[in-house]
Amino acid sequence: ALAPFGKGRGLKPQREETLRRILVLDPEHAAAHQGLGQSRFDGKWKTRDEEMRSRGFVKYEGKYVAVQELDILKKVHTRKKVEQDWTERVRNWSYALSSGDPEKRRRGHTQLLKIADPNAIPALNKVLRLSDDEERRSLYVKILTRMPGVEPVHLLVEQSLFDHSKSVRVEAQEAITPQVRDAACPVYARELRNSDNEVVRRAGRMLEKIGDETVVGALIEAITTTHQVPQNVVDNSNTYGFNPRNPKAGEQ
């Protein structure tokens, strides 16, 4: 009688203690087990969490997942949290560039140029790379230039090929030096097959600047083209023919 009395009255610890004392007196007391959230699994009283743990599952963010997945999910969660933090910071600094306060603009510009953490790349892609403002895309290139790793090089290559501002493309091209050849050349070589001839020319010029002998084959393939030339064909299907073996055939 005491255990149900504590339910819903803010007496959860006292209620659970009472239920445990009941189980000391009667280990098979079904109502006490159920009051503690236990059910019978394979002849034993267990909570749902205990049963799932025995099967190799644990609860994470309200769902049961395999123990082997837990570390992966935690890492993904941590990465998303880091990306969200960077997105908020980059967005605030980017907004500052449009401020009417010169000091705020200066601070925003300075903070953006200080970014050197590759974890900030997704935020930079969202806020600066996709911006319609040429100044912000130029800042994007400058930040990537200072950043270590292969991913920044690949992104610089893409800006050097596809940004619609020539000045931004040139800035990105200048950041692609022979020191990053190994990371940049495969991306440029891939774009030699682009359907846009202007992109192909840009990629070819950059390969000429930083490439080595391994890209010669790709360059030859890019400049070797096949053209289909339309020709006028005379339709003689309604004309008379002449058969030398049958002089009368032309008269039919």
Side-chain angles (χ1 to χ4, degrees):
L2 181 60
F5 175 81
K7 188 175 182 179
R9 290 181 169 81
L11 301 174
K12 183 178 179 180
Q14 294 88 338
R15 176 176 177 271
E16 290 182 351
E17 177 59 26
T18 302
L19 292 172
R20 292 191 188 94
R21 290 174 64 185
I22 292 172
L23 292 176
V24 172
L25 300 173
D26 183 1
E28 293 300 318
H29 196 289
H33 281 292
Q34 291 165 359
L36 290 170
Q38 298 174 349
S39 300
R40 189 179 287 277
F41 295 96
D42 298 328
K44 296 181 180 180
W45 289 98
K46 298 178 184 178
T47 64
R48 179 66 172 168
D49 287 352
E50 290 170 339
E51 171 60 15
M52 294 301 290
R53 196 175 299 117
S54 70
R55 297 182 185 181
F57 293 88
V58 293
K59 187 175 283 187
Y60 180 72
E61 295 188 341
K63 296 180 180 180
Y64 289 104
V65 299
V67 174
Q68 298 88 335
E69 294 181 76
L70 187 59
D71 286 342
I72 298 174
L73 291 173
K74 286 182 176 179
K75 289 177 181 178
V76 170
H77 177 80
T78 300
R79 186 171 66 248
K80 286 183 178 179
K81 181 65 169 61
V82 170
E83 289 180 3
Q84 289 172 355
D85 291 344
W86 269 118
T87 299
E88 183 177 354
R89 281 185 278 176
V90 171
R91 186 171 284 124
N92 288 338
W93 294 332
S94 178
Y95 285 157
L97 298 177
S98 302
S99 172
D101 184 344
E103 180 57 25
K104 283 186 178 180
R105 292 199 301 270
R106 185 195 65 79
R107 285 201 302 267
H109 190 273
T110 300
Q111 291 297 329
L112 287 168
L113 285 178
K114 284 182 179 179
I115 298 175
D117 185 356
N119 288 317
I121 288 177
L124 294 169
N125 288 341
K126 290 178 186 177
V127 180
L128 299 183
R129 185 185 189 188
L130 299 178
S131 173
D132 293 331
D133 181 46
E134 187 174 315
E135 178 187 358
R136 285 169 171 76
R137 297 200 309 279
S138 175
L139 268 173
Y140 173 76
V141 169
K142 289 183 175 70
I143 295 166
L144 292 180
T145 302
R146 295 169 168 81
M147 199 173 286
V150 172
E151 186 178 2
V153 176
H154 290 173
L155 293 171
L156 284 169
V157 169
E158 291 183 5
Q159 289 304 111
S160 75
L161 292 174
F162 300 110
D163 197 287
H164 57 264
S165 166
K166 182 177 180 180
S167 63
V168 175
R169 289 199 307 271
V170 170
E171 196 171 2
Q173 290 166 7
E174 290 174 350
I176 305 296
T177 63
Q179 286 71 30
V180 296
R181 171 190 297 144
D182 291 344
C185 280
V187 186
Y188 281 125
R190 182 189 68 205
E191 294 304 329
L192 291 174
R193 296 187 294 274
N194 195 288
S195 58
D196 187 334
N197 284 339
E198 182 56 39
V199 172
V200 173
R201 283 194 289 270
R202 292 170 189 166
R205 286 194 294 267
M206 288 304 296
L207 285 171
E208 181 182 8
K209 172 186 172 184
I210 66 165
D212 54 30
E213 294 181 357
T214 61
V215 301
V216 172
L219 284 168
I220 293 174
E221 183 180 351
I223 63 176
T224 303
T225 59
T226 302
H227 299 277
Q228 293 183 346
V229 181
Q231 295 183 356
N232 292 325
V233 178
V234 179
D235 183 1
N236 293 320
S237 59
N238 294 322
T239 61
Y240 292 102
F242 175 72
N243 186 344
R245 294 184 181 180
N246 184 5
K248 296 183 180 182
E251 299 175 0
Q252 296 176 355

